[in-house]
Amino acid sequence: MLIEFSVGNFRSIKEVQTLSFVATSIKELEETNTFEALPKLRLLKSAGIYGANASGKSNLIKALTTMRVIIFNRDTEQNDINLHQRFFEFDNTMQLKPTFFQMILVIKGKKYRYGFEYYDYKVVSEWLFGTATKNEAYYFTRNLQDIKVNEKYFKEGSGFEKNVSEKNLFLSVLSFLNGEVATRINDFFIGGALSIIDDSQGLVNIMKNHVTKALENNDGFKSFLNELLQFSDTGIKSIKSVRFDNIDYALSQRVVQDEQGNSTLKSFVLENFESEGTKKLFNYGLDIYNMLTKGGTLIIDEFDAHFHPLLTRKIVQLFNSKANKNNAQLFFATHDTNLLDRELLRRDQIYFAEKDNEGATHIYSLADFKGVRNDASYEKDYIKGKYGAIPFLGDFEQLISNADETTQKN
């Protein structure tokens, strides 16, 4: 499970910004929206981030994706790891500084802090700290090709320090060699415990194929997805998959009237017939099911796109509820102010992204604000600009006048 993610010098993010799932000391919605991950450590089950268009919300999620992609390349035979350098563009001095990623996790009852920096297609530094008797202990640290391993806590790393090229992560190499701790951390990123969803067409197609195949092989998921679509008022009575010409298709079944006026079920190819919102819910179904039944962290960009506000609210409520027995976590980027409700989200579950005059993204929580009343309307106060992170819009009516003037001059 995710405790904290930090990123610096990546796209619109200049200085290191941190997304934390650590629950603050506030008591609101504690029983439903938080859980005890370790003794004296309570985590949030969900969090959402708001901000104007181009404020950097999606860049935070892109940073998570990039960190995972870099860790995924664990083939020791392939030296060119293709480290994507996407430094902060609006300050030329940042082009000479590394990009920073760090994640703090709880895996099987132990806390780990792992991170790395890279610059010019090279790993500049890398580190792994973990649980010790009382305090955090270093497992390994790296400065360029100088790697120091703490044999007391991380024997699996000893003797392999020279096996790493400047373009490979030490953690990925050890995972490739089946190191226990390294594999455990690696699996969090690429083994299904962390799922990141955006609306890119390539990912949508992959998700659609995975869901369709899961309908054939997983009866528990099939039952869950059928009920999810029914409870969401899509009008679909059931969903199934069929294969034509070696291609899997999802079929939605709806009630239609025959020539005699009798009700009967008719199948439709989901991709061709259903609404964009229904298709999106179908595509998300497997990730939601896996997280709730196995545990993990689900990250969704543009969460509210094509969804009715009541549906997004229900999904957030599901993750925040006691029905979420495996303490799955949900993080989403959204513009849906309907979710800014103190009966749904705690103050520490609400994040904002805002750019400064340099174009640099800053991320902060509603819990950072002092003096927020217990009966405050988060939605109204946000729209009024009380918390920042809103667009400053010009006079749109003037657009027509200016266009007319330009046309007359020409």
Side-chain angles (χ1 to χ4, degrees), residues 6 18 36 41 110 113 126 210 224 228 285 349 383 391 395:
S6 299
T18 297
E36 186 176 75
L41 176 65
K110 291 191 175 182
R113 177 166 64 90
E126 186 181 1
H210 285 172
F224 172 85
L228 176 65
Q349 291 179 285
I383 293 298
D395 182 0

Side-chain angles (χ1 to χ4, degrees), residues 275-374:
S275 71
E276 293 302 314
T278 298
K279 288 188 285 188
K280 179 175 177 177
L281 186 62
F282 172 85
N283 291 338
Y284 283 15
L286 184 58
D287 283 284
I288 293 174
Y289 173 78
N290 284 336
M291 292 299 155
L292 292 173
T293 55
K294 301 175 183 178
T297 304
L298 178 60
I299 314 289
I300 304 178
D301 196 8
E302 302 291 346
F303 178 48
D304 53 311
H306 304 301
F307 279 171
H308 191 278
L310 293 179
L311 178 56
T312 57
R313 186 182 182 92
K314 280 291 186 180
I315 294 173
V316 175
Q317 282 178 330
L318 178 59
F319 276 83
N320 284 341
S321 70
K322 292 184 178 180
N324 180 7
K325 297 179 181 179
N326 292 300
N327 298 322
Q329 295 171 298
L330 171 67
F331 176 69
F332 55 90
T334 185
H335 294 289
D336 183 1
T337 58
N338 167 70
L339 303 177
L340 290 173
D341 185 343
R342 56 191 173 85
E343 295 184 0
L344 178 68
L345 295 174
R346 294 157 48 101
R347 282 171 285 163
D348 49 10
Q349 291 179 285
I350 300 171
Y351 274 83
F352 301 105
E354 185 173 60
K355 284 186 177 179
D356 61 22
N357 292 333
E358 283 189 320
T361 296
H362 296 268
I363 296 167
Y364 53 95
S365 166
L366 180 56
D368 296 333
F369 287 81
K370 305 299 181 184
V372 177
R373 293 169 56 93
N374 291 333

Side-chain angles (χ1 to χ4, degrees), residues 34-240:
T34 74
F35 64 96
E36 186 176 75
L38 293 172
K40 298 181 180 180
L41 176 65
R42 295 195 70 83
L43 298 181
L44 303 170
K45 292 182 180 179
S46 69
I49 188 166
Y50 289 80
N53 292 324
S55 62
K57 302 185 302 298
S58 293
N59 285 339
L60 179 64
I61 294 175
K62 284 183 173 67
L64 279 157
T65 301
T66 301
M67 184 179 188
R68 185 173 67 170
V69 167
I70 294 172
I71 292 172
F72 179 74
N73 191 330
R74 62 187 224 173
D75 186 351
T76 57
E77 300 299 321
Q78 184 173 342
N79 291 326
D80 186 0
I81 196 173
N82 191 22
L83 297 176
H84 300 283
Q85 190 76 40
R86 295 289 186 268
F87 49 77
F88 180 71
E89 295 280 0
F90 304 120
D91 182 346
N92 289 335
T93 64
M94 300 303 291
Q95 299 181 26
L96 304 176
K97 298 180 180 180
T99 295
F100 172 97
F101 290 134
Q102 178 175 272
M103 192 171 284
I104 305 177
L105 306 167
V106 175
I107 304 175
K108 294 186 176 180
K110 291 191 175 182
K111 183 178 176 181
Y112 300 98
R113 177 166 64 90
Y114 173 70
F116 54 88
E117 293 179 295
Y118 63 93
Y119 172 74
D120 193 25
Y121 302 97
K122 299 176 184 178
V123 177
V124 175
S125 63
E126 186 181 1
W127 57 91
L128 174 63
F129 290 76
T131 302
T133 52
K134 290 184 179 181
N135 300 317
E136 179 184 71
Y138 92 90
Y139 283 18
F140 75 82
T141 59
R142 173 183 183 179
N143 181 20
L144 296 176
Q145 294 304 98
D146 181 21
I147 300 174
K148 292 182 171 56
V149 174
N150 186 340
E151 294 189 12
K152 180 178 180 181
Y153 295 105
F154 199 62
K155 289 183 180 180
E156 67 192 69
S158 181
F160 298 105
E161 296 91 337
K162 303 300 181 183
N163 291 36
V164 186
S165 78
E166 62 186 8
K167 296 182 180 181
N168 284 110
L169 296 172
F170 189 44
L171 182 87
S172 297
V173 170
L174 295 177
S175 175
F176 181 80
L177 297 172
N178 297 318
E180 181 181 357
V181 175
T183 299
R184 191 178 297 168
I185 296 171
N186 188 85
D187 285 350
F188 173 85
F189 285 94
I190 65 174
L194 175 67
S195 181
I196 305 174
I197 299 175
D198 59 42
D199 284 335
S200 61
Q201 191 57 52
L203 181 59
V204 168
N205 291 336
I206 292 172
M207 291 169 60
K208 178 180 65 179
N209 292 337
H210 285 172
V211 173
T212 304
K213 288 184 180 297
L215 282 173
E216 299 177 3
N217 307 318
N218 190 328
D219 289 338
F221 168 63
K222 184 176 181 179
S223 175
F224 172 85
L225 184 61
N226 271 284
E227 291 190 342
L228 176 65
L229 292 169
Q230 291 171 24
F231 291 176
S232 300
D233 195 26
T234 62
I236 295 174
K237 296 302 178 184
S238 66
I239 194 86
K240 64 179 182 179

